[in-house]
Amino acid sequence: MQADIEMVKALLDGGRKVVVLTGAGVSAESGVPTFRGNDGLWKSHRPEDLARPDAFAMNPELVWEFYNWRRELIGKCEPNPAHQALAEMERHIPNFLLITQNVDGLHAQAGSRKLIEMHGSLWQVRCTSCSHSREDRAELPAMPECPDCGHLLRPGVVWFGEPLIPGVLKVAIAQISSAEVFISVGTSNMVQPAASFYQLAKDHGAVTVEVNLEPTSNTGFMDFALHGKAGDILPELVTGLSK
Ligand code: NAD
Ligand code: ZN
């Protein structure tokens, strides 16, 4: 794997446009549970069964209980060396974009600025009825209400089965289509459309790299597959980058 790491480093040092896609695995070493690991269940519910609009419509109290638990847990988590390495990568590579599926806010906390949070943020809440939307890190009531209209608030995240925030997909597609190096980190590639981004990058001539704890369904299609902890591999990739 060392030879592959050196080759990827050379690509990153060559002034190329780099787009990185991250998933839950990049935050695992910060103590944020992924959805598909052994630690994935919450009170015997699968997160995928709660992070969806029909679950919220049927039992908003349960879904808010899950989100308030996640906000409390993740509020105590800190960025790890993988987040820090990506913030560092941005400082070395002029043409760089980080697209994350994560809603934990840890990339921004680590200093990433050229960042798209394509599934929104746990720290954003919005009204189910009017246009009220705000960033809020404080503890919320069990059923938080909109200060403007009194209707129920909801987490400002994109749930399974919901469309992405308008405009986000368009920007992501345009950026990925012009990437020369595409790196996916810590994603099981089971959630669309992100799971297909590598294909888009490849179709437009990018070199594709996977960094993940274990092989995924996309591994065989990648030019480089670096398997191990993101918190070990990403710092290696940025060590010694010029500028
Ligand atoms: P996932 O849980 O489906 O997959 C995580 C992947 O990361 C797995 O393939 C696993 O092998 C790998 N992984 C685990 N630990 C790792 C490590 N230390 N280093 C490198 N790789 C590691 O996550 P996903 O593909 O992002 O899809 C889940 C969806 O749920 C996403 O859409 C995301 O929005 C959401 N989600 C977000 C968070 C978060 O914000 N941190 C957490 C859970 C789920
Ligand atoms: Zn409202």
Side-chain angles (χ1 to χ4, degrees):
M1 191 166 88
Q2 201 53 41
D4 282 356
I5 286 181
E6 293 308 321
M7 281 196 269
V8 174
K9 281 179 80 156
L11 286 169
L12 295 179
D13 230 354
R16 294 175 179 82
K17 173 167 181 167
V18 177
V19 174
V20 179
L21 170 73
T22 63
V26 84
S27 295
E29 291 162 69
S30 294
V32 180
T34 64
F35 276 4
R36 291 181 184 81
N38 296 330
D39 53 358
L41 291 186
W42 174 76
K43 290 193 172 181
S44 79
H45 296 280
R46 289 168 49 215
E48 298 99 309
D49 295 337
L50 297 172
R52 43 190 326 125
D54 46 348
F56 188 68
M58 216 156 63
N59 195 344
E61 204 155 5
L62 179 71
V63 173
W64 259 119
E65 192 186 345
F66 170 61
Y67 275 93
N68 277 334
W69 169 78
R70 275 172 67 79
R71 284 166 60 97
E72 196 190 334
L73 176 101
I74 294 171
K76 294 184 196 128
C77 294
E78 295 286 340
N80 69 56
H83 298 107
Q84 281 148 4
L86 289 170
E88 180 74 21
M89 207 181 270
E90 171 182 318
R91 292 191 279 272
H92 287 277
I93 298 173
N95 210 345
F96 179 88
L97 179 68
L98 174 56
I99 303 174
T100 188
Q101 302 172 80
N102 295 344
V103 295
D104 54 37
L106 291 175
H107 283 304
Q109 213 177 310
S112 285
R113 291 295 172 264
K114 293 177 181 171
L115 170 68
I116 295 178
E117 292 175 314
M118 63 180 281
H119 290 162
S121 168
L122 275 181
W123 310 113
Q124 202 72 31
V125 290
R126 62 183 162 91
C127 182
T128 52
S129 179
C130 76
S131 61
H132 176 86
S133 169
R134 68 171 191 266
E135 193 180 320
D136 197 334
R137 287 189 159 254
E139 194 177 329
L140 297 172
M143 293 277 269
E145 281 174 8
C146 175
D148 296 341
C149 75
H151 282 92
L152 187 61
L153 294 176
R154 58 161 284 176
V157 301
V158 178
W159 281 327
F160 291 103
E162 287 187 320
L164 294 185
I165 301 148
V168 163
L169 188 58
K170 210 171 146 192
V171 172
I173 287 175
Q175 293 293 326
I176 293 164
S177 302
S178 56
E180 294 170 283
V181 181
F182 176 82
I183 309 177
S184 99
V185 185
T187 170
S188 63
N189 293 308
M190 287 164 79
V191 178
Q192 292 293 359
S196 304
F197 284 172
Y198 84 96
Q199 186 65 56
L200 185 64
K202 214 176 164 67
D203 288 349
H204 288 83
V207 178
T208 53
V209 183
E210 174 176 82
V211 177
N212 207 60
L213 198 57
E214 58 198 6
T216 73
S217 54
N218 288 1
T219 301
F221 305 102
M222 296 291 192
D223 296 305
F224 295 94
L226 308 175
H227 291 148
K229 288 183 176 177
D232 292 336
I233 294 171
L234 293 179
E236 271 203 69
L237 290 181
V238 295
T239 303
L241 283 187
S242 49
K243 266 220 274 163

